[in-house]
Amino acid sequence: MTGTRTFEELVAEAAAAPTEGWDFSWFEGRATEARPSWGYQRSMGERMARASAALDIQTGGGEVLAGIPRRPPLCVATEAWPPNVAKATALLHPLGTVVVAAPEEPPLPFADEAFDLVVSRHPVKPYFEEIARVLRPGGTYFAQHVGPASVFELVEFFLGEQPEDVRGARHPDAERAEAEAAGLEIVDVRTERLRMEFFDVGAVVHFLRKVIWMVPGFSVAEYLPRLKELHERIESEGPFVAHSSRTLFEARKPTT
């Protein structure tokens, strides 16, 4: 907990904290987020253990992939952001996984039908035609996507009410249609909204610096008045509550 630290101390600490990778241990005692019921890492690990060649798209710092008990004979991960590429390489190379620096946009730097399993946790955007291209017939795409209007209580605190097309982006029905248009067969699509709590303004600052698409261009200087208002609100009312949105997505490439 933050104790009696001042607004300035909380913000300065969060502004100086490193943001590489998807290790969220910095938030311990300062923010919480409920986890989806399906247990993505465990379920992904089960599929990895059965695969012969697998690809993890947008692996971040490689933390999720590193946490599975068994990986296939051929295991590759892609990442676009250079600090994460370096972090993922250091973490995954000793485990026998190659990390490829590749942009988020197509094309993926792999041949057609290179993998029997493609996974991704929180891709910025799933490019289903490209996923279908690199999957072998009978292969599976298994992922956890960010769902619609995720953490929008926080987004709208800083940016104001968002239009419906923004709130409805990443809707699972639209993603299902895109996957089917790319020739994939849907196996499972589920969405859950999960409670989040921010116990101090520093946790909010670190979150928005780490998850940069929430409030594009976020900086402490730009949003200083709103941050002060949020600090006072948390001090008087308790944790700031928001809700993340997560979608489990599983699809298969037909064999014929």
Side-chain angles (χ1 to χ4, degrees):
M1 299 300 288
T2 62
T4 58
R5 281 185 283 173
T6 67
F7 170 77
E8 290 77 14
E9 289 170 337
L10 292 168
V11 168
E13 179 193 15
T19 57
E20 295 88 356
W22 292 118
D23 177 4
F24 284 80
S25 59
W26 190 93
F27 291 98
E28 187 172 347
R30 306 184 69 162
T32 61
E33 179 182 356
R35 296 298 176 202
S37 62
W38 49 74
Y40 172 75
Q41 187 180 48
R42 175 187 52 77
S43 298
M44 183 265 281
E46 292 169 354
R47 287 160 176 79
M48 280 279 183
R50 300 193 297 266
S52 60
L55 169 65
D56 182 20
I57 297 174
Q58 297 176 32
T59 195
E63 296 88 354
V64 177
L65 186 57
I68 64 172
R70 184 178 162 202
R71 62 207 69 241
L74 175 63
C75 192
V76 183
T78 65
E79 175 56 32
W81 193 41
N84 276 350
V85 173
K87 186 170 185 179
T89 297
L91 185 61
L92 295 175
H93 269 202
L95 301 175
T97 296
V98 175
V99 178
V100 178
E104 293 164 356
E105 299 78 16
L108 288 166
F110 307 107
D112 296 356
E113 301 182 5
F115 303 98
D116 54 83
L117 177 65
V118 174
V119 303
S120 190
R121 181 181 179 273
H122 303 175
V124 175
K125 175 179 172 58
Y127 293 95
F128 287 109
E129 286 190 3
E130 194 65 359
I131 290 164
R133 182 185 69 79
V134 300
L135 274 175
R136 296 171 184 165
T140 294
Y141 173 66
F142 184 77
Q144 181 174 291
H145 295 172
V146 176
S150 187
V151 204
F152 260 44
E153 297 94 337
L154 190 61
V155 170
E156 294 186 332
F157 180 86
F158 288 96
L159 299 180
E161 186 174 352
Q162 298 295 290
E164 280 306 307
D165 62 325
V166 175
R167 295 186 65 85
R170 303 173 182 258
H171 196 283
D173 291 347
E175 293 185 335
R176 175 192 289 266
E178 291 171 7
E180 290 176 334
L184 297 173
E185 298 174 344
I186 303 303
V187 176
D188 194 6
V189 177
R190 291 181 258 163
T191 297
E192 293 181 359
R193 292 191 68 78
L194 304 152
R195 182 181 176 92
M196 301 177 70
E197 294 185 350
F198 296 90
F199 299 121
D200 70 78
V201 71
V204 171
V205 169
H206 188 57
F207 180 79
L208 294 179
R209 289 181 63 239
K210 195 173 183 73
V211 190
I212 57 175
W213 53 87
M214 287 290 173
V215 178
F218 172 82
S219 71
V220 170
E222 178 75 17
Y223 289 98
L224 192 61
R226 287 300 273 167
L227 288 168
K228 286 183 176 177
E229 185 178 332
L230 182 60
H231 172 69
E232 291 166 0
R233 173 172 163 177
I234 292 173
E235 290 287 295
S236 62
E237 300 178 14
F240 184 93
V241 176
H243 295 83
S244 64
S245 180
R246 301 287 180 258
T247 299
L248 178 72
F249 203 101
E250 185 170 13
R252 183 179 297 117
K253 185 173 180 176
T255 53
T256 55

